[in-house]
């Protein structure tokens, strides 16, 4: 059963990803991206990380993908020009990605990982909470500051300064 | 109530913050700095009350065993050095006294120091000092205690020399610093030896029975290590608490502003030595008849001789300084006889009434100065008691507070000093009954009782000279009571000087303080920790002695006229001169230590400048000049020509060629990054892993 | 049966490679950003899979994945803000035309 589910999610994820990079239309690319993200949420469920799956949906599908869609729409004049999306070096890029894939394939096929057969107790949300306010409290705070800074930075960068003339 | 105890580390933080803010921000604003300092210590006072409440609620467990917050410090390899804070009954008792006295004195000083050009700096220093003292009290290990100890030493130096325009103040600061340094070095040596044997400096680990056993069983230079360490630690206490023979700095320290004398040189810092000995008492006591004996002997000598010098001084603050020395001697007697609590109790009560007396004397000096200013008199020494007289009518508040302080100091029933001093004397008395005539406790008791008589005598003399009779100068006649900020702290202190004794009245449950603070060292069997029953005979003897001495002094000096000879001088003759010159100890030290040191230094200087070092240095210098010229030529030709300029030319050329690769295309850069990382990963996988 | 670790790794590798291709070969800045998001997600899969199979009793893998997500969110916000600012300046988000940073 599980392998079957895995393959479905793999098709969603990898197919979506392929769609993102191959389609000529940016709208479709963004929609494929959402599909890929949803597949990954399924992955996380399979990996006993239900909370992370929820986060994946909320943050990636709900926030980042929508943000990207907004950006696409705000810059839609570009889309109508109908020029090719790929650049001049796309062939080299494809080769690099392919070589990377095959080189990296050596790792999962060769390395013997120190696998563990224990099964977690299933209260991973409690553990996450404890860890975030325990040993990871400083990274946690730093990330919150980072998000704040990113928020302010984004506002300042994206603000339209053309109509804020001298009053 | 562990939660309240968690506030402990905060206690010293507030004064430190006040210090930092004053130094870096508020030093231009006098009023603000004073309020910052008072606010800081006020917060500390509140916090320590919460901590005390926590200790009381914690019951016997917290009071005797203590609560600790160890913090790993410098984890080097396997040895984790813990440095933290701790609270037990003893600390809590100190935490009641220290911040409260500091707070009152700060308030007092905010008026006393008015008009001083370095007003803000004064409050910065005293805040730093309060930080040191509070840290010392809550430290749970010797190293932190020592650091706080040194902070206090620094503040003491800065504050004694606060009016550094006066040569005498400058010298007094130096003297205090150098004299206490002797003790500090001894203490530090003791700590090092202790650490080398036990690998820890935390009190409760040191006082584990097996550790003490090990220390007393090991020999070093023919004596048990524990005794050696105890003596070294006691050396530190002798320096800080101004015990004989290192007492010489304390009277000179009176050059500092009076609130400083009250705070540092009466109530808190000088008692730190006693605190240290009390803290380390199990170590002292582990070898019978060892180090403790010496504590008692030094204490007895100090208690008696300090009091004798006190009767022959004319400077109002110096009398009190010798009184402090002598009272610290009493505390040492108590500790030396194993009476932990008697010493601690006297430490607490003494802090209140001696601070009160010093602040009172400050208020008197202030008043006389004011009077002198009023009559345009700039020659009268406002600290000389011979220039005072009849001040009772002019400053009633101060006078009554002063009377209470005096009564507490000489031990009039039922004020604080009566209970605490009597407990010390009773301790000695009881041990004398056991050990027999002419034993150490007997001598300690005798010194204590004679000291009590002398204490009463010089205080009677002082009261008579200052408050009664007719004013002997115009300045005294125009003295004026200072304002509320100075008198109210006096009254508060007077209240405590009168009532604090009741926390350890032997009739109430065998002394409440005994249960609260007295069982800190319960694990050590060599000490007398059980409460002493009230000794009627001792109380009667010391009361008679005290009242007798007081009235003798008061009667002799009550009506002293201006320019009249000192009645005691008439009576004692040359002995009085010896006392007036403090047994010539200062002169002795000058002859034995200071002059040879100066001579040696002069000799070394000669050696340095004229004979050996300087010629060598000059020769070396000339060789250096010659080689520098050679090396300069080398520089010009080889380094500059080939090295520096050559490198520059090389990079100029490569830069010119390589900048062509900068296309400005992000995708190109990304591709380069990806390919290079891929190459590195590939190399790793195929050459290293396989 | 549970899915073996190597399947996850292969899947993540594939995803990463696809993202890498997207980053390297697109000239539209938004498309590059999407490729980047795919790569970050591939890393997340790796982290969680390792955490699940090597230290199942701890949640370290998931914690790091959450940090990655948080940072990716920040990155996306700033990157899109930059893209919009650039677009406003030049009416183009073609990275090939943004080449003023060369010699």
């Amino acid at each position: 059963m599980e392998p079957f589910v895995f393959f479905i999610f793999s098709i969603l994820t990898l197919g979506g990803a392929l769609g993102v990079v191959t389609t000529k239309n940016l709208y479709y690319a963004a929609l494929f991206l959402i599909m890929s993200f949803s597949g990954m949420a399924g992955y996380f469920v399979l990996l006993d990380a239900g909370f992370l799956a929820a986060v994946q949906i909320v943050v990636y599908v709900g926030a980042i993908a929508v943000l990207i869609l907004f950006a696409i729409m705000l810059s839609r004049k570009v889309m109508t020009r109908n020029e090719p999306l790929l650049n001049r070096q796309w062939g080299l890029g494809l080769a690099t990605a392919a070589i990377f894939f095959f080189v990296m394939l050596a790792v999962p096929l060769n390395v013997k990982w120190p696998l563990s057969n224990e099964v977690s107790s299933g209260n991973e949300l409690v553990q996450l909470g404890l860890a975030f306010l325990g040993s990871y409290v400083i990274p946690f705070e730093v990330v919150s500051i980072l998000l704040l800074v990113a928020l302010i930075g984004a506002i300042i960068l994206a603000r339209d300064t053309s109509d804020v003339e001298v009053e | 109530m562990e939660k309240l105890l968690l506030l402990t580390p905060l206690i010293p933080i507030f004064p430190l913050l006040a210090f930092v803010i004053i130094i870096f921000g508020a030093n231009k604003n006098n009023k603000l700095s004073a309020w910052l300092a008072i606010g800081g210590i006020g917060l500390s006072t509140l916090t320590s009350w919460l901590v005390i409440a926590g200790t009381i609620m914690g019951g016997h467990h917290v009071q005797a065993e203590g609560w600790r917050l160890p913090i790993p410090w410098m984890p080097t390899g396997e040895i984790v050095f813990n440095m933290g804070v701790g609270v037990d009954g003893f600390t809590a008792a100190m935490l009641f006294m220290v911040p409260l006295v500091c707070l009152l004195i700060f308030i007092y000083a905010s008026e006393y120091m008015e008009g001083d050009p370095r007003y803000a700096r004064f409050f910065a220093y005293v805040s730093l000092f309060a930080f040191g003292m509070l840290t010392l009290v809550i430290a749970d290990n010797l190293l932190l205690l020592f650091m706080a100890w040194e902070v206090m030493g620094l503040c003491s130096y800065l504050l004694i020399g606060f009016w550094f325009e006066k040569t005498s103040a400058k010298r007094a600061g130096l003297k205090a610093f150098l004299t206490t340094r002797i003790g500090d070095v001894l203490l530090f040596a003791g700590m090092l030896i202790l650490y080398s044997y036990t690998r820890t400096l935390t009190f409760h680990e040191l006082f584990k029975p097996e550790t003490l056993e090990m220390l007393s069983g090991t020999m070093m230079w023919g004596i048990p290590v524990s005794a050696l360490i105890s003596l070294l630690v006691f050396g530190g206490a002798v320096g800080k608490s101004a015990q004989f023979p290192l007492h010489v700095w304390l009277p000179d320290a009176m050059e500092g502003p009076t609130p400083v004398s009250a705070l540092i040189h009466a109530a808190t810092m000088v008692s730190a030595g006693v605190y240290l000995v009390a803290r380390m008492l199990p170590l002292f006591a582990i070898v019978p008849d060892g180090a403790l004996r010496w504590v008692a002997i030094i204490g007895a000598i100090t208690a008696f001789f300090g009091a004798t010098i006190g009767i022959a001084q004319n400077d109002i603050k110096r009398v009190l300084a010798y009184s402090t020395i002598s009272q610290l001697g009493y505390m040492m007697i108590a500790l030396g006889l194993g009476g932990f609590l008697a010493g601690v109790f006297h430490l607490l009560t003494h802090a209140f009434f001696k601070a009160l007396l010093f602040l009172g004397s400050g208020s008197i000096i202030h008043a006389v100065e004011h009077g002198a200013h009023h009559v345009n008199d700039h020659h009268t020494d406002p600290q000389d008691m011979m220039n005072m007289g009849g001040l009772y009518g002019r400053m009633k508040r101060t006078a009554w507070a002063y009377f209470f302080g005096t009564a507490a100091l000489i031990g009039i029933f039922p004020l604080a000093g009566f209970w605490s001093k009597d407990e010390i004397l009773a301790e000695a008395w009881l041990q004398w009954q056991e050990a027999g005539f002419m034993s150490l406790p007997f001598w300690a008791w005798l010194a204590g009782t004679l000291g009590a008589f002398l204490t009463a005598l010089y205080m009677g003399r002082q009261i008579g000279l200052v408050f009664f009779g007719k004013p002997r100068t115009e300045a005294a006649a125009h003295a004026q009571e200072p304002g509320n900020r100075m008198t109210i702290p006096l009254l508060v202190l007077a209240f405590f000087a009168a009532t604090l004794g009741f926390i350890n009245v032997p009739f109430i449950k065998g002394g409440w303080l005994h249960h609260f603070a007295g069982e800190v060292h319960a694990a050590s069997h060599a000490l007398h920790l059980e409460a002493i029953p009230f000794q009627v005979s001792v109380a009667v003897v010391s009361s008679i002695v005290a009242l007798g001495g007081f009235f003798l002094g008061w009667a002799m000096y009550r009506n002293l006229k201006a320019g009249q000879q000192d009645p005691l001088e008439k009576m004692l003759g040359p002995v009085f001169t010896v006392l007036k010159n403090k047994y010539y100890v200062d002169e002795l030290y000058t002859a034995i230590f200071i002059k040879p040191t100066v001579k040696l230094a002069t000799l070394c200087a000669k050696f340095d400048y004229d004979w050996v070092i300087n010629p060598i240095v000059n020769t070396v210098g000339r060789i250096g000049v010659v080689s520098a010229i050679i090396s300069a030529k080398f520089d010009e030709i080889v380094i500059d020509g080939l090295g520096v300029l050559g490198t520059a030319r090389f990079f100029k050329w490569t830069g010119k060629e390589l900048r062509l690769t900068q296309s400005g295309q992000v995708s190109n850069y990304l591709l380069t990054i990806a390919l290079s990382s891929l190459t590195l990963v590939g190399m790793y996988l195929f050459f290293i892993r396989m | 049966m549970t899915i073996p670790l190597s399947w996850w790794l292969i899947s993540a590798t594939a995803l990463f490679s696809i993202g890498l291709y997207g980053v390297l070969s697109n000239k539209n800045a938004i498309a590059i950003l999407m490729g980047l998001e795919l790569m970050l997600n591939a890393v997340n899969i790796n982290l969680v899979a390792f955490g699940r199979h090597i230290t199942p009793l701890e949640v370290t893998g998931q914690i790091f994945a959450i940090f990655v997500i948080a940072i990716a969110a920040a990155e996306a916000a700033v990157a899109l803000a930059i893209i919009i600012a650039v677009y406003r300046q030049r009416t183009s988000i073609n990275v090939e035309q943004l080449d003023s940073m060369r010699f």
Side-chain angles (χ1 to χ4, degrees):
Chain A
M1 184 62 194
E2 282 198 32
F4 177 65
V5 179
F6 176 77
F7 283 124
I8 291 182
F9 285 139
S10 294
I11 290 166
L12 273 178
T13 311
L14 297 179
L18 280 174
V20 170
V21 295
T22 50
T23 181
K24 292 243 161 42
N25 190 323
L26 266 186
Y27 286 107
Y28 290 166
L31 294 176
F32 274 126
L33 190 68
I34 291 175
M35 174 174 141
S36 180
F37 286 158
S38 316
M40 266 174 267
Y43 270 8
F44 290 143
V45 173
L46 274 185
L47 282 166
D48 295 343
F51 176 66
L52 207 55
V55 170
Q56 175 81 10
I57 299 281
V58 172
V59 176
Y60 272 113
V61 180
I64 295 182
V66 173
L67 201 60
I68 289 175
L69 274 174
F70 266 113
I72 293 170
M73 290 179 201
L74 283 173
S75 56
R76 65 182 174 280
K77 279 183 206 153
V78 182
M79 300 305 109
T80 54
R81 285 181 198 160
N82 229 352
E83 50 190 39
L85 276 171
L86 295 178
N87 58 16
R88 279 168 300 203
Q89 55 167 27
W90 72 271
L92 258 176
L94 182 60
T96 309
I99 295 169
F100 178 85
F101 178 68
F102 287 112
V103 167
M104 275 301 163
L105 217 48
V107 177
L109 294 182
N110 289 325
V111 180
K112 292 276 169 286
W113 306 103
L115 292 178
S116 159
N117 283 325
E118 289 159 307
V119 178
S120 72
S121 50
N123 58 349
E124 110 260 357
L125 196 54
V126 176
Q127 287 189 44
L128 277 174
L130 286 176
F132 272 129
L133 292 181
S135 27
Y136 292 95
V137 63
I138 291 177
F140 187 60
E141 295 296 334
V142 171
V143 162
S144 67
I145 294 171
L146 175 80
L147 282 173
L148 180 67
V149 171
L151 175 71
I152 298 169
I155 291 170
I156 292 174
L157 280 172
R159 195 177 47 180
D160 190 355
T161 47
S162 56
D163 56 341
V164 193
E165 289 303 316
V166 184
E167 290 168 21
Chain B
M1 292 313 286
E2 303 276 298
K3 275 184 191 145
L4 285 178
L5 295 178
L6 278 173
L7 292 171
T8 314
L10 284 182
I11 297 174
I13 298 297
F14 299 119
L16 182 65
L17 274 180
F19 165 72
V20 171
I21 297 173
I22 295 174
I23 284 288
F24 289 109
N27 53 9
K28 294 281 186 299
N29 188 337
N30 284 345
K31 209 161 208 173
L32 179 66
S33 356
W35 280 113
L36 275 171
I38 292 172
I41 195 71
L43 284 175
S44 290
T45 314
L46 289 179
T47 322
S48 23
W49 282 347
L50 290 177
V51 170
I52 294 165
T55 319
I56 292 175
M57 281 188 269
H60 185 75
H61 173 69
V62 174
Q63 288 155 21
E65 316 254 315
W67 169 91
R68 279 169 224 102
L69 185 69
I71 297 150
W73 200 262
M74 300 193 295
T76 48
E78 286 162 26
I79 305 160
V80 177
F81 189 86
N82 278 321
M83 203 149 91
V85 299
V87 175
D88 52 25
F90 182 22
T91 299
M94 292 294 287
L95 278 181
F96 171 71
M97 182 274 277
V98 175
L100 183 60
V101 170
C102 285
L103 175 65
L104 292 170
I105 293 175
F106 281 21
I107 295 174
Y108 178 94
S110 71
E111 181 177 337
Y112 187 89
M113 297 302 289
E114 250 166 32
D116 193 283
R118 290 187 289 273
Y119 188 85
R121 189 189 295 185
F122 176 83
F123 281 96
Y125 288 165
V126 288
S127 288
L128 182 63
F129 171 79
F131 161 71
M133 187 67 200
L134 291 168
T135 312
L136 176 117
V137 169
I138 62 171
D140 82 334
N141 65 81
L142 259 180
L143 187 63
L144 186 58
L145 186 147
F146 185 72
M147 284 154 68
W149 178 280
E150 291 299 329
V151 169
M152 291 198 300
L154 170 71
C155 292
S156 163
Y157 165 73
L158 291 172
L159 285 165
I160 293 171
F162 189 71
W163 289 320
F164 52 73
E165 295 89 349
K166 275 199 294 182
T167 322
S168 57
K170 210 160 48 185
R171 279 170 178 269
L174 203 59
K175 185 170 174 184
F177 202 62
L178 290 178
T179 315
T180 50
R181 197 76 9 214
I182 299 171
D184 294 354
V185 168
L186 294 179
L187 170 60
F188 195 59
M191 279 167 55
L192 292 179
I193 298 177
L194 190 57
Y195 188 74
S196 71
Y197 277 90
T198 60
R199 294 281 146 203
T200 176
L201 287 176
T202 311
F203 293 128
H204 77 105
E205 282 172 19
L206 290 177
F207 299 153
K208 280 180 189 151
E210 60 268 24
T211 316
L212 288 178
E213 197 101 327
M214 186 272 283
L215 284 175
S216 62
T218 321
M219 303 297 268
M220 186 172 175
W221 301 330
I223 51 172
V225 177
S226 72
L228 180 68
I229 297 168
S230 307
L231 287 177
L232 288 170
V233 169
F234 182 55
V238 164
K240 207 63 153 184
S241 283
Q243 298 293 294
F244 178 83
L246 295 183
H247 63 277
V248 287
W249 66 272
L250 189 58
D252 287 9
M254 298 302 136
E255 292 289 345
T258 306
V260 170
S261 311
L263 177 64
I264 302 185
H265 306 116
T268 51
M269 187 187 82
V270 288
S271 59
V274 179
Y275 176 84
L276 175 69
V277 174
R279 233 335 138 203
M280 301 293 287
L281 212 53
L283 187 70
F284 281 73
I286 191 70
V287 180
D289 282 338
L292 267 190
R293 258 185 106 73
W294 286 100
V295 177
I297 292 171
I298 295 286
I301 294 176
T302 314
F304 179 69
F305 285 101
T308 54
I309 301 176
I311 60 172
Q313 300 299 314
N314 283 342
D315 184 314
I316 183 168
K317 280 173 76 184
R318 276 183 186 255
V319 173
L320 294 176
Y322 280 106
S323 167
T324 306
I325 293 176
S326 145
Q327 296 300 315
L328 291 166
Y330 278 98
M331 300 170 205
M332 288 296 182
I333 293 180
L335 296 176
L337 294 177
F340 167 69
L341 199 85
V344 172
F345 184 32
H346 198 56
L347 166 62
L348 294 177
T349 57
H350 172 257
F352 281 99
F353 59 66
K354 192 48 72 61
L356 166 61
L357 287 174
F358 265 111
L359 293 190
S361 76
S363 174
I364 293 164
I365 295 165
H366 202 70
V368 174
E369 246 171 13
H370 190 272
H373 197 69
H374 191 75
V375 295
N376 282 326
D377 170 7
H378 300 294
H379 302 292
T380 310
D381 179 4
Q383 303 201 10
D384 193 337
M385 293 193 292
M386 291 301 163
N387 294 333
M388 300 175 187
L391 289 179
Y392 174 72
R394 302 206 59 89
M395 34 199 322
K396 286 224 169 56
R397 269 196 195 177
T398 307
W400 276 105
Y402 210 84
F403 294 160
F404 267 102
T406 306
L409 168 61
I410 65 180
I412 300 291
F413 179 84
L415 301 181
F418 172 77
W419 302 106
S420 59
K421 196 189 279 185
D422 253 38
E423 188 162 345
I424 296 174
L425 293 178
E427 178 87 47
W429 169 279
L430 281 179
Q431 291 194 26
W432 161 29
Q433 305 299 336
E434 269 176 41
F437 194 56
M438 301 292 270
S439 60
L440 176 62
F442 166 74
W443 290 111
W445 176 81
L446 191 66
T449 308
L450 286 178
F453 172 74
L454 293 169
T455 307
L457 182 62
Y458 64 65
M459 286 316 290
R461 175 173 178 261
Q462 191 172 52
I463 296 259
L465 276 176
V466 172
F467 289 113
F468 292 96
K470 295 255 156 23
R472 282 182 292 277
T473 54
E474 278 298 296
H478 290 87
Q480 197 181 18
E481 178 89 308
N484 278 338
R485 268 185 295 158
M486 277 167 75
T487 49
I488 287 175
L490 284 181
L491 298 180
V492 177
L493 281 170
F495 170 75
F496 281 108
T499 57
L500 195 70
F502 294 113
I503 60 172
N504 201 27
V505 174
F507 308 119
I508 305 170
K509 292 206 282 182
W512 179 79
L513 192 64
H514 258 291
H515 301 292
F516 185 68
E519 286 161 27
V520 170
H521 293 324
S524 169
H525 300 294
L527 299 170
H528 307 257
L529 292 174
E530 65 281 5
I532 314 161
F534 185 65
Q535 299 295 314
V536 180
S537 42
V538 175
V540 168
V541 170
S542 55
S543 289
I544 291 174
V545 157
L547 288 172
F550 182 78
F551 283 110
L552 186 64
W554 182 70
M556 275 200 289
Y557 286 91
R558 181 163 51 112
N559 281 323
L560 194 73
K561 301 278 178 315
Q564 207 178 347
Q565 199 196 9
D566 196 311
L568 266 181
E569 190 172 0
K570 227 183 293 175
M571 235 158 70
L572 296 173
V575 178
F576 190 84
T577 320
V578 173
L579 295 182
K580 199 172 173 82
N581 288 306
K582 315 148 204 165
Y583 297 105
Y584 298 102
V585 173
D586 274 330
E587 285 77 3
L588 191 73
Y589 284 176
T590 311
I592 298 181
F593 298 115
I594 299 176
K595 278 204 181 131
T597 310
V598 170
K599 271 217 180 95
L600 187 67
T602 323
L603 219 67
C604 287
K606 277 241 162 68
F607 182 80
D608 197 352
Y609 287 124
D610 301 342
W611 301 337
V612 182
I613 307 289
N614 258 11
I616 294 178
V617 172
N618 288 341
T619 318
V620 173
R622 265 177 219 120
I623 295 171
V625 168
V626 172
S627 51
I629 292 169
I630 297 171
S631 111
K633 280 267 175 278
F634 178 79
D635 244 16
E636 262 170 44
I637 298 162
V638 181
I639 308 286
D640 282 359
L642 288 177
V644 180
L645 294 179
T647 323
R649 279 185 205 116
F650 173 74
F651 281 112
K652 195 174 172 187
W653 174 77
T654 44
K656 206 159 89 189
E657 299 298 315
L658 278 177
R659 73 173 188 174
L660 294 175
T661 58
Q662 300 287 320
S663 63
Q665 294 289 323
V666 181
S667 300
N668 279 355
Y669 299 163
L670 282 173
L671 189 66
T672 318
I673 292 169
L675 276 175
S676 355
S677 356
L678 195 56
T679 316
L680 282 176
V681 172
M683 278 162 70
Y684 175 74
L685 285 177
F686 290 103
F687 294 124
I688 298 174
R689 295 292 299 220
M690 309 233 161
Chain C
M1 98 178 235
T2 46
I3 315 294
L5 177 57
S6 52
W7 292 22
W8 295 113
L9 299 186
I10 293 167
S11 169
T13 315
L15 190 58
F16 192 92
S17 306
I18 294 169
L20 185 61
Y21 167 70
V23 168
L24 291 180
S25 308
N26 269 302
K27 63 181 172 189
N28 185 303
I30 296 177
I32 291 178
L33 191 67
M34 288 195 270
L36 212 56
E37 296 295 340
L38 289 177
M39 288 162 77
L40 283 168
N41 272 288
V43 172
N44 271 356
I45 294 174
N46 259 6
L47 286 171
V48 180
F50 275 128
R52 167 73 180 72
H53 283 94
I54 294 179
T55 57
L57 293 183
E58 291 174 40
V59 288
T60 326
Q62 293 189 39
I63 285 171
F64 277 89
I66 289 174
F67 281 135
V68 170
I69 291 175
I71 291 166
E75 169 247 278
V78 174
L80 289 171
I82 292 173
I83 288 172
I84 288 173
V86 167
Y87 175 72
R88 203 176 277 141
Q89 286 274 325
R90 308 199 154 198
T91 56
S92 161
I93 50 172
N94 181 347
V95 292
E96 283 184 336
Q97 290 166 13
L98 306 177
D99 58 354
S100 57
M101 292 274 279
R102 60 184 170 165
F103 62 91

